[in-house]
Amino acid sequence: MVIVVGNPANTNCLTASKSAPSIPKENFSCLTRLDHNRAKAQIALKLGVTANDVKNVIIWGNHSSTQYPDVNHAKVKLQGKEVGVYEALKDDNWLKGEFVTTVQQRGAAVIKARKLSSAMSAAKAICDHVRDIWFGTPEGEFVSMGVISDGNSYGVPDDLLYSFPVVIKNKTWKFVEGLPINDFSREKMDLTAKELTEEKETAFEFLSSA
């Protein structure tokens, strides 16, 4: 397994995969778990629970400010019961506005405040990412991971390294299939795919001229 963390992580990961064609494309992934963990933390803070009580948030797309943190399919444990995050929060404006931008801009905000990157949070996210590859995802849970987009059912172009919801078993990841995508999500998912397509073209132009 090859895991890429350094930015631009998705496009770096795709470039690494293209440069090592003997390694299966599925063995390359990039880290969007930090964004995933941040999204869980924002929801938990808002509801006064722990991040462990929140599951199945999704980071779609690029590890950049166009990423789309999606909680349409997320669940939270409240008073021992699992409920949908939208139902629990009853605050569409926050979920479609401030929540999205906070997760998108979190890395920049941390650097601005600390004058340093969020090294410990990133290290924790890498551990989470590797642990799930090694031991699999818990039953009924999925995680976000930047993986090759080939064969996805969400209308994301093939041959991009894009963050999807995945489940992992026997050290093999699979797309979570069949999640309904509303118009708001569609627009955000397409926007981050467009950025990744442009990044890819720029990177490959550079490589072919090098």
Side-chain angles (χ1 to χ4, degrees), residues 16-172:
S17 168
K18 298 277 186 194
S19 306
S22 63
I23 302 173
K25 288 187 280 193
E26 294 73 26
N27 287 18
F28 287 83
S29 60
C30 80
L31 191 74
T32 53
R33 187 58 170 267
L34 179 52
D35 312 298
H36 179 100
N37 288 350
R38 285 167 172 163
K40 282 175 60 169
Q42 290 299 321
I43 298 296
L45 272 171
K46 193 83 169 165
L47 287 168
V49 296
T50 72
N52 288 338
D53 293 320
V54 182
K55 71 177 190 184
N56 296 354
V57 304
I58 301 168
I59 302 296
W60 297 100
N62 200 359
H63 175 61
S64 75
S65 61
T66 67
Q67 64 174 266
Y68 169 46
D70 176 6
V71 291
N72 285 292
H73 314 287
K75 299 264 194 287
V76 59
K77 199 180 282 178
L78 288 176
Q79 283 115 32
K81 262 197 335 196
E82 265 194 7
V83 289
V85 163
Y86 263 85
E87 190 191 329
L89 270 170
K90 298 182 177 64
D91 191 345
D92 281 23
N93 285 344
W94 184 78
L95 282 168
K96 288 181 171 176
E98 194 185 327
F99 164 71
V100 171
T101 51
T102 299
V103 178
Q104 287 175 335
Q105 306 290 343
R106 185 67 184 156
V110 169
I111 289 168
K112 193 174 172 194
R114 294 185 70 223
K115 310 290 181 277
L116 293 165
S117 71
S118 50
M120 203 63 200
S121 303
K124 161 82 167 63
I126 295 163
C127 290
D128 292 344
H129 182 109
V130 172
R131 183 194 64 225
D132 285 341
I133 289 173
W134 199 252
F135 295 110
T137 44
E139 196 62 42
E141 283 191 39
F142 48 76
V143 294
S144 306
M145 201 177 270
V147 293
I148 193 71
S149 61
D150 296 5
N152 78 87
S153 61
Y154 293 106
V156 176
D158 282 355
D159 205 36
L160 290 179
L161 214 295
Y162 189 100
S163 181
F164 288 93
V166 299
V167 288
I168 305 162
K169 200 173 181 180
N170 301 327
K171 302 185 180 62
T172 304

